[in-house]
Amino acid sequence: DLPFVRLTPETTDATVAQIVSAQMAKHHACVAVSVTPTDIVLAMANPFDLIGIDDVELATGRRVKPVVATQCDIMAAIGRLYQ
């Protein structure tokens, strides 16, 4: 019942994505989509990766709100956003 997002160049922002390190993004197959002072919307291939969610929450100090994206979209976005 989680929202699905497409990660296109128009829907991703490098500044927002940088909140999560490239290493963490690659390791957990995730990309930050939007951020507030308290929350981070995180596109994930596996939104039930509780270790990944915990790691991002600990690293950013924000509560993760997961959304679903395809593995292919996430890897392409990581390639674009972490040049």
Side-chain angles (χ1 to χ4, degrees):
D1 291 339
L2 295 174
F4 177 81
V5 295
R6 291 296 314 245
L7 300 177
T8 66
E10 296 78 30
T11 63
T12 53
D13 180 342
T15 304
V16 171
Q18 299 302 317
I19 291 170
V20 175
S21 72
Q23 180 181 2
M24 189 173 295
K26 290 174 187 174
H27 182 73
H28 293 296
C30 63
V31 173
V33 176
S34 66
V35 66
T36 69
T38 59
D39 299 318
I40 183 169
V41 175
L42 194 66
M44 305 178 75
N46 178 7
F48 302 107
D49 176 5
L50 299 181
I51 293 171
I53 290 171
D54 286 346
D55 285 352
V56 172
E57 287 180 341
L58 187 61
T60 64
R62 293 173 170 91
R63 183 180 55 206
V64 167
K65 293 186 174 183
V67 296
V68 179
T70 66
Q71 181 85 16
C72 183
D73 274 2
I74 290 172
M75 291 301 127
I78 288 171
R80 277 193 318 273
L81 297 167
Y82 294 99
Q83 295 293 332

